[in-house]
Amino acid sequence: MSREPIPARISTSSKVLVERQFLVTVTEPVAIAIVGVGKIARDQHLPSIASNARFRLAATASRHGGVDGVENFETIDTLLSARSDVQAVALCQPPQVRFEAAAKAIRAGRHVLLEKPPGATIAEVETLVAMARSQGVSLFATWHSRFATGVEPTREWLKGKTVRRVAVTWKEDVRRWHPGQAWIWEPGGLGVFDPGINALSIVTAILPPVHVTRATLEFPEGRDAPIAAQLTFAGESGFSATADFDWRQTGPQTWDIEVETDEGRLVLSKGGAEMLVDGKAVLADSDQEYAGIYRRFAELIEAGESDIDLSPLVHVADAFMLGRRSVVEPFED
């Protein structure tokens, strides 16, 4: 992989920060390492890397076991020290420890992919943005739900229409998706906003800007993160928007975004994989979210750009700032 400096260019919008640092010509697969080989890495990252010819899994760093046939290191420090050939890292640890790992990788000149949420705080991610700019590496704050099949067609369908009402219903079973993962109940773990932020990443991609005006957060007794949340939003466009997040749902899971407009009712269902207009399915497809993430990461590395959008995390931070706290019955995995 060769790298040719080009003039810096910063393109900003209300949602996405993209920074051009270098023009990179990829002549062979990018050697990438996964840091944190847990459930999400095994379920999504490993298959997506394996199916993308622009990447080669070169190493892992994990205290809980690596990948057969791939060198594993106990820490990211030993990985970065021993493997100068690793050009990029995908950070899949809990958000509370991600900043330190990302900072070390950036200082070592490696491109960095951040699992969602990109950090435990907004300020730490902004620090990483400045570091990546200084080091001339690509930083990608991923929002996997934005790569669901129906998200871009929904955004296109909504163009030119007047949005009147939005209702987000995002309910799932924490025991199914995060079994025994204590970090999600600790400060910085986000609780129900770990899945809820997926919905917010779609909302911020398809709708005009909104802001949180009211929130109720339900904390299980003895826990430091909420298990349910109800949010109300407002924006300059004047439409009403609500979000109902719950981590106690068993049986079928619910991941729906309903948008009423002056020209019909759209429902983005199954986490964005299915799109219905006035009750009729117009699009349905399988899960391709993480494949989309790695396609995008390859594009960023090749173009010498970074892609960081903090708007979903801003909504979560605002919900915690405005939220009325309610203590509910204890919850145990």
Side-chain angles (χ1 to χ4, degrees):
M1 181 171 67
S2 62
R3 176 179 288 177
E4 175 188 350
I6 62 174
R9 176 179 63 85
I10 298 178
S11 173
T12 61
S13 70
S14 62
K15 295 181 179 178
V16 179
L17 168 66
V18 178
E19 302 171 358
R20 179 175 291 275
Q21 303 292 339
F22 295 92
L23 181 62
V24 179
T25 302
V26 178
T27 56
E28 59 184 24
V30 174
I32 190 169
I34 289 180
V35 180
V37 185
K39 179 175 171 56
I40 193 65
R42 294 188 184 278
D43 289 351
Q44 299 290 352
H45 290 263
L46 290 175
S48 298
I49 291 171
S51 64
N52 191 320
R54 298 163 83 177
F55 289 100
R56 173 179 61 86
L57 182 63
T60 60
S62 180
R63 294 175 297 172
H64 306 293
V67 177
D68 289 344
V70 177
E71 186 175 16
N72 183 61
F73 296 87
E74 189 75 11
T75 67
I76 189 171
D77 302 85
T78 54
L79 165 67
L80 295 173
S81 176
R83 295 292 301 272
S84 60
D85 62 308
V86 170
Q87 301 155 294
V89 295
L91 303 183
C92 304
Q93 325 103 299
Q96 296 98 321
V97 299
R98 204 172 291 150
F99 171 79
E100 184 179 0
K104 289 176 179 177
I106 291 171
R107 291 191 192 103
R110 319 301 170 92
H111 307 293
V112 175
L113 180 151
L114 300 169
E115 240 302 351
K116 65 87 187 170
T121 71
I122 294 169
E124 70 182 29
V125 183
E126 291 178 335
T127 297
L128 295 177
V129 170
M131 292 179 63
R133 179 191 301 118
S134 176
Q135 292 293 322
V137 298
S138 294
L139 179 67
F140 184 22
T142 66
W143 301 108
H144 63 81
S145 290
R146 286 185 176 173
F147 292 87
T149 309
V151 173
E152 183 59 23
T154 292
R155 192 182 69 82
E156 289 294 326
W157 187 86
L158 289 172
K159 282 184 177 180
K161 297 179 175 64
T162 300
V163 176
R164 293 174 174 166
R165 185 183 70 88
V166 177
V168 178
T169 306
W170 219 260
K171 299 182 178 183
E172 61 182 58
D173 183 357
V174 62
R175 291 186 176 97
R176 175 177 173 182
W177 302 102
H178 292 273
Q181 296 181 19
W183 61 265
I184 57 177
W185 302 112
E186 297 171 357
L190 298 190
V192 74
F193 286 105
D194 180 84
I197 206 169
N198 296 335
L200 296 175
S201 72
I202 296 176
V203 166
T204 51
I206 66 174
L207 296 174
V210 295
H211 61 271
V212 176
T213 58
R214 187 167 63 251
T216 299
L217 310 180
E218 298 180 25
F219 287 74
E221 185 178 344
R223 299 288 195 177
D224 292 316
I227 197 168
Q230 300 83 45
L231 279 59
T232 302
F233 301 86
E236 292 183 4
S237 300
F239 63 87
S240 63
T242 60
D244 187 4
F245 303 146
D246 202 316
W247 238 356
R248 297 167 294 196
Q249 178 153 305
T250 59
Q253 310 288 274
T254 303
W255 301 302
D256 296 337
I257 299 175
E258 179 185 351
V259 185
E260 288 187 5
T261 77
D262 59 337
E263 297 182 36
R265 173 177 171 269
L266 179 145
V267 176
L268 196 57
S269 188
K270 298 181 180 178
E274 184 175 275
M275 174 182 171
L276 301 93
V277 175
D278 293 329
K280 297 181 179 179
V282 296
L283 181 67
D285 205 347
S286 59
D287 179 10
Q288 296 293 321
E289 295 175 13
Y290 279 82
I293 281 177
Y294 278 92
R295 285 195 299 271
R296 176 63 173 152
F297 192 34
E299 293 168 356
L300 291 171
I301 293 172
E302 187 166 358
E305 296 178 348
S306 290
D307 187 346
I308 305 95
D309 176 11
L310 295 181
S311 56
L313 192 58
V314 168
H315 285 318
V316 174
D318 287 352
F320 276 102
M321 291 179 69
L322 288 175
R324 189 178 299 274
R325 179 177 176 133
S326 171
V327 178
V328 297
E329 64 272 17
F331 180 85
E332 300 296 336
D333 290 339

